[in-house]
Amino acid sequence: MCLGLPMTIVETDGVSALCEYCGGQRRVSVLLLSAPPVGAKVLVYIDTAIRLLEEEEARLIGAAIEGVGAALNGEDFDRFFADLVDREPQLPEHLR
């Protein structure tokens, strides 16, 4: 399974960018984006930044990834999904 990671651009030359996530860095393509600046949060999938992220969305994605890791390790994971605890799942408008 492949996951998209919320990464922060550390440096870029317009074609590729050095991005960081959880203390690790990797160079990714930014050709699908329109000149993302240093400091921008991007969703990276298979070494390609596929879209810009708002700070809150990047935080939620990062928390969900940490939550999956906690669940796989048999640890409590509710704190990683605080936005979902104590509410019913909601279908997108087009599926209602």
Side-chain angles (χ1 to χ4, degrees):
M1 170 177 32
C2 295
L3 295 173
L5 298 177
M7 301 186 88
T8 303
I9 295 177
V10 176
E11 64 182 47
T12 183
D13 60 14
V15 174
S16 67
L18 183 63
C19 293
E20 184 174 78
Y21 176 72
C22 288
Q25 293 185 338
R26 74 182 309 117
R27 187 151 297 274
V28 304
S29 169
V30 291
L31 291 174
L32 295 178
L33 305 177
S34 181
V38 169
K41 303 287 187 191
V42 292
L43 184 62
V44 176
Y45 181 76
I46 311 176
D47 290 337
T48 301
I50 59 173
R51 71 181 179 91
L52 291 171
L53 296 172
E54 296 293 327
E55 187 76 32
E56 179 64 5
E57 185 179 20
R59 187 190 68 72
L60 289 172
I61 293 169
I65 292 169
E66 287 182 57
V68 169
L72 290 172
N73 289 325
E75 301 166 7
D76 176 50
F77 56 87
D78 282 352
R79 70 184 183 280
F80 297 106
F81 300 99
D83 60 321
L84 301 175
V85 174
D86 296 328
R87 75 174 177 103
E88 290 294 318
Q90 300 294 311
L91 286 173
E93 189 64 38
H94 69 281
L95 294 177
R96 292 181 191 166

